[in-house]
Amino acid sequence: MIETLNGICETVNYKQSTSLKLYNNDENEDYPPHWHTTMEIIMPVENIYTVECGNQTYVLREYDIILICPCCIHALSAPPTGRRIIFQPDTASLRFMKGIESLLNILSPLIIITPEDFPAIHERIRELLIAIKDEYFIMASAFSEVMIYSKLLEIITLIGDNYARHAESRSGITGQQKEYMEKFFKICDYIKDHCSDDLKLDDIANMCGFSKFYFSRLFKQFMNVSFYKYVNQKRIAKAAELLIEPKNSVTDVALSSGFPSLSSFIRMFKIVKGCTPTEFRNMYCS
């Protein structure tokens, strides 16, 4: 299924005249750790399918749905028999839309949609993926690609709205969902753009107009991760991009990514990526 692989970087070969790739995959073949700049959505329709990402192994049942965010390293394992939809849309052109980039930042590296955990949206997302698959292989209209992207946007919207409702429920705040989510989306964008700076909890809390204790509690409830852990995740994501360029030394990458020392960078990189920076670079360049 992986058609073009350079080290661990996959170049997605889109269907002609589109920014889409979809496999109705029934191959008994495992795919090694790799990453790509596209989002990837996988739904087994016959038998299970196994995904490894972020030092975790996820066994998907039939019609469980996983959304893997762009640039996240993952590996795939297939059973002897089975079939699954594997959808790789280019989302770069969609990121001008308010909320999409922020939502992907929050969900990274992945989210799994199951009937048990997401009863309000699972069935609809399942229907949308099947409709995307059918439209992809027919392409009967000049607007087929637009139709597919409209269904993808509905999937992202369903996940985003569901996430916002659950965040509001976890925080115990009612009636302020839109205002608070907008604030935290803006903060996530700011952290991503300034992750190499010396970001302090007090300063970011002041940007929101909260005390650091209230902000820290709300951030954890809205993002499912602590403020400093989120900052480190964004720093490691930036470091991974810099490591791909051979002329950048590991020390320079550490400093450019906001880490005060090489040792702290290596330690955090291994926690987040499951390998050292040098091992990551060697896997990419091998």
Side-chain angles (χ1 to χ4, degrees), residues 83-97:
R83 185 166 58 88
R84 69 286 315 175
I85 294 171
I86 300 178
F87 180 40
Q88 296 174 313
D90 181 14
T91 55
S93 60
L94 304 178
R95 295 194 177 190
F96 73 93
M97 297 183 188

Side-chain angles (χ1 to χ4, degrees), residues 91-150:
T91 55
S93 60
L94 304 178
R95 295 194 177 190
F96 73 93
M97 297 183 188
K98 184 179 179 181
I100 288 184
E101 179 74 13
S102 299
L103 181 62
L104 292 178
N105 287 339
I106 292 169
L107 297 180
S108 183
L110 58 81
I111 184 172
I112 299 177
I113 310 296
T114 66
E116 296 82 6
D117 295 333
F118 295 87
I121 64 174
H122 174 268
E123 182 60 29
R124 179 55 183 161
I125 294 178
R126 169 183 167 176
E127 292 172 353
L128 287 166
L129 279 175
I130 292 173
I132 285 171
K133 184 258 297 181
D134 292 343
E135 187 67 36
Y136 179 87
F137 288 110
I138 296 173
M139 287 288 186
S141 165
F143 297 99
S144 289
E145 185 177 16
V146 176
M147 292 168 64
I148 289 173
Y149 269 107
S150 71

Side-chain angles (χ1 to χ4, degrees), residues 149-197:
Y149 269 107
S150 71
K151 291 175 173 57
L152 173 63
L153 285 171
E154 184 176 347
I155 290 172
I156 294 172
T157 301
L158 287 168
I159 293 172
D161 284 346
N162 188 271
Y163 183 91
R165 285 195 298 272
H166 279 271
E168 180 185 24
S169 175
R170 288 194 303 271
S171 66
I173 298 169
T174 57
Q176 293 176 295
Q177 173 183 321
K178 186 174 185 295
E179 175 190 350
Y180 276 59
M181 286 305 296
E182 285 184 352
K183 281 189 176 183
F184 280 99
F185 277 176
K186 289 179 181 178
I187 288 299
C188 287
D189 288 341
Y190 182 87
I191 292 172
K192 180 176 181 291
D193 293 338
H194 298 84
C195 62
S196 58
D197 297 344

